[in-house]
Amino acid sequence: MQITMKKILAAILIFDISAGLLLFVAYGNKLLEKGRQEERSQEQSRAVWAVKEAGDADSVIAESTDYKKIALTFDDGPHPYYTEQLLDGLKERGVVATFFVTGEHTVLHPDVIKRMHEEGHLIGNHTYSHMQLTNGNKEEFKEELIATSEVIEEIINEEVIYVRPPYGTWDKSFEGELNMIPVLWSVDPLDWCTDNAATVVEKVIGQVEENDIILMHDYYASTVTAALEIVDELQGQGYTFVTVEEILFD
Ligand SMILES: [Zn+2]
């Protein structure tokens, strides 16, 4: 009887152990499976996040093309001192501008032209000697444009396409003949008429709108002061400074 009980107890014990083992193995497998599932779901959620992030990035890009654009343009330079000062200020603020330079100032300060180009500014043609187009000097004017583009292109190794004709006088036939695009302006604070930077700032801020092209001259200390104040003020208002190319073609 005792033996029988012992056998039964032993049998139960063995059964328990083996059942336990089976359960343990099954549970272990389950755990493993669970782990794999979690891994898979983590991978899936990572994939979802990656898509979501990519989607977010897309929407950021889409939004970023929707910003308020504005362009600063500077004529008559480069000036050996004021242009460098202006470039320093623009660089500090992460701002690009467009410089319409004359051929005669370009050959005097090629290093400044090189710096403009390296820092992402757009360089355009403003004739060789700041010539005003008249009925009588069409050929001469054309030659000045060609000579100016040549000296700039030699420095920056890039084709010059944009031109700001001095005093805004232009002949449309040049556009096809020379493959050039004239760029006028929409805001003129007459910065060359005053040495009072605050007056210039006031004039620009008072009338500026999205997609405006502001005309200034990097040839005066007051213009440098005014231009940088304009940048600070308009950046504060949510404007982004771009080159004229982005205003004309985006
Ligand atoms: Zn000019």
Side-chain angles (χ1 to χ4, degrees):
M1 180 68 188
Q2 270 183 339
I3 296 162
T4 315
M5 273 305 284
K6 264 185 192 170
K7 272 185 184 169
I8 289 166
L9 278 172
I12 289 169
L13 199 64
I14 287 163
F15 176 78
D16 275 358
I17 290 168
S18 38
L21 270 174
L22 277 172
L23 273 173
F24 182 74
V25 169
Y27 184 64
N29 278 340
K30 227 179 184 175
L31 270 182
L32 273 175
E33 184 53 29
K34 197 166 176 253
R36 282 190 204 112
Q37 271 173 2
E38 270 171 11
E39 227 167 75
R40 270 200 296 274
S41 82
Q42 267 173 12
E43 268 162 25
Q44 275 163 359
S45 68
R46 265 199 296 274
V48 170
W49 274 106
V51 170
K52 194 171 170 348
E53 274 166 21
D56 287 349
D58 281 348
S59 64
V60 168
I61 291 161
E63 278 165 20
S64 71
T65 54
D66 210 23
Y67 48 66
K68 288 198 290 183
K69 286 183 289 190
I70 196 129
L72 278 173
T73 63
F74 298 96
D75 292 7
D76 300 0
H79 185 279
Y81 181 68
Y82 299 130
T83 307
E84 292 269 20
Q85 219 181 14
L86 178 62
L87 289 172
D88 290 343
L90 295 176
K91 193 179 181 184
E92 263 172 46
R93 291 161 175 81
V95 162
V96 289
T98 305
F99 290 86
F100 292 100
V101 298
T102 65
E104 62 187 5
H105 290 151
T106 295
V107 293
L108 286 175
H109 313 292
D111 47 328
V112 184
I113 297 286
K114 199 163 181 268
R115 180 179 170 191
M116 284 173 183
H117 181 64
E118 282 169 359
E119 294 181 359
H121 304 290
L122 182 64
I123 301 169
N125 190 322
H126 198 48
T127 75
Y128 204 90
S129 66
H130 205 269
M131 178 181 273
Q132 177 167 19
L133 177 68
T134 64
N135 289 329
N137 68 2
K138 204 178 153 181
E139 277 313 303
E140 209 184 328
F141 186 88
K142 217 166 93 178
E143 276 163 26
E144 284 221 3
L145 289 178
I146 294 167
T148 305
S149 286
E150 273 174 10
V151 291
I152 301 168
E153 283 165 6
E154 205 169 296
I155 299 162
I156 67 171
N157 225 348
E158 210 170 84
E159 202 185 345
V160 175
I161 298 163
Y162 299 96
V163 53
R164 172 162 288 153
Y167 315 100
T169 46
W170 182 245
D171 186 322
K172 271 197 90 61
S173 69
F174 294 144
E175 289 165 38
E177 279 174 51
L178 301 174
N179 194 25
M180 296 198 94
I181 299 166
V183 180
L184 297 182
W185 55 87
S186 52
V187 176
D188 180 5
L190 301 172
D191 61 314
W192 53 275
C193 285
T194 176
D195 57 6
N196 187 339
T199 310
V200 176
V201 174
E202 217 171 282
K203 274 188 189 165
V204 172
I205 302 301
Q207 61 173 298
V208 88
E209 283 176 2
E210 206 174 329
N211 295 319
D212 265 337
I213 295 177
I214 304 165
L215 167 65
M216 294 179 93
H217 302 80
D218 51 329
Y219 228 71
Y220 311 97
S222 52
T223 292
V224 175
T225 309
L228 299 178
E229 275 180 36
I230 289 164
V231 168
D232 291 338
E233 173 63 32
L234 294 182
Q235 278 187 329
Q237 290 184 22
Y239 281 96
T240 298
F241 287 86
V242 296
T243 63
V244 292
E245 192 163 47
E246 284 182 68
I247 297 275
L248 299 173
F249 294 106
D250 265 13

